[in-house]
Structures are given as C-alpha cells and as structure tokens.
Amino acid sequence: MLELAILGFLFDTPLHGYELRKRIAALTGHVKPVAESTLYPAIKRLEKAGLLARTTEPGSVAAPRHVLTLTEDGRRDLRRRLAEPDPRDISDENRWFTVLAFLRHLEDAGAQSAVLRRRLAFLEEPASFFYDGDRPLPAEELDDPFRRGLLTIARATSRAELTWLRKTIASLDG
C-alpha cells in the first residue's frame, strides 16, 4: 500500500520526501500513520528498482532537498499494480481506498471497470464481523447495541459503495 501511494502521488508531480509523507498521511494517516523509518526505506527500494529518480535542489533555508520523480518504468509499474491489485487491495478497505485514489491513472476504462468489478464481487458476498458457526449474523440478531451499531454502520457504508460501484461500472462500460 505504501509503495502504491508513493508511485501514485509521484505520477502527478515530483515531490520531496517531506511533502510526499504529508500527502500519504492525508490519505492513510488517520488509519496508519507513515513514519520516516518506513517511508524512506520504501523510497530507496523503489529508487533501486529504477521506478523513482532523485535529484537534489538547493534548499530555500536549510540543507538541499531531494526531489523524487517517477520514471517511465515507475509509471508502467504503477499501472500494472492498479490493473492487477493484490486480493488484499480489494478486500481491505484502507488498501482499497489507496487503489481507488490512483485508479484514474489506468487510462483504459475497461481495465478500471475490471478492478471495480472485483471490489463489487467482494462486497456482494455475504459477510459479517460476527458469526454463528459459518453463518454471518445480521445486526438484527445481535443483543449487544455496540455490535449492532457496528453492523448497521458497516451495512450503510457497503450499500453506498455498492451503489457507487454499480453506477461507475455502468458509466465506464458505456
């Protein structure tokens, strides 16, 4: 997810590490803050793989700044990751939001639609946070008001996403 976010933000514009970290935190930070000890090794891995290029610019007040740019290989890699997301990128809501934030970089509407269809299929499967054996429990069968609230909120969120997915897929499919 972190590498996808790095590639996605750099697709639009070159950024220095601090600005990149702020943007990633704005996207995912409420769920999973991005520490420098995580971000900079990921940047180095992507740079070593030839997906990022680093240039040095003079700092306005302090030390020189390292500006990161996505290479053509990086652009191809981002598009590949978006077109073929890991199953966890489809099922995990936070990872899904990262995919969704950059899905516009897939230029083919059919490829975009295929990714959305995978999420749609996932959401259409019966599921719950709580089970009676193998049977998902609906909110109405729970006595605990907090668990019932959790399921009620999750159901409303899923319905909203399902509506959006179906409408967007229809639009992409023309």
Side-chain angles (χ1 to χ4, degrees), residues 45-84:
R45 281 192 309 274
L46 293 170
E47 188 177 14
K48 187 176 180 180
L51 305 178
L52 305 180
R54 180 189 310 246
T55 58
T56 304
E57 295 180 353
S60 57
V61 177
R65 299 183 333 163
H66 299 283
V67 177
L68 303 165
T69 306
L70 202 59
T71 65
E72 282 305 313
D73 284 346
R75 289 178 180 280
R76 280 191 291 278
D77 189 68
L78 173 64
R79 287 186 179 120
R80 179 196 56 77
R81 290 175 192 234
L82 291 170
E84 303 165 5

Side-chain angles (χ1 to χ4, degrees), residues 80-91 96 111-125 165 169:
R80 179 196 56 77
R81 290 175 192 234
L82 291 170
E84 303 165 5
D86 183 277
R88 291 172 300 160
D89 295 339
I90 298 297
S91 62
W96 170 246
Q112 292 170 333
S113 179
V115 174
L116 296 182
R117 285 179 192 285
R118 286 182 58 195
R119 177 68 176 182
L120 179 64
F122 168 74
L123 289 178
E124 288 176 332
E125 286 293 316
L165 282 166
I169 290 168

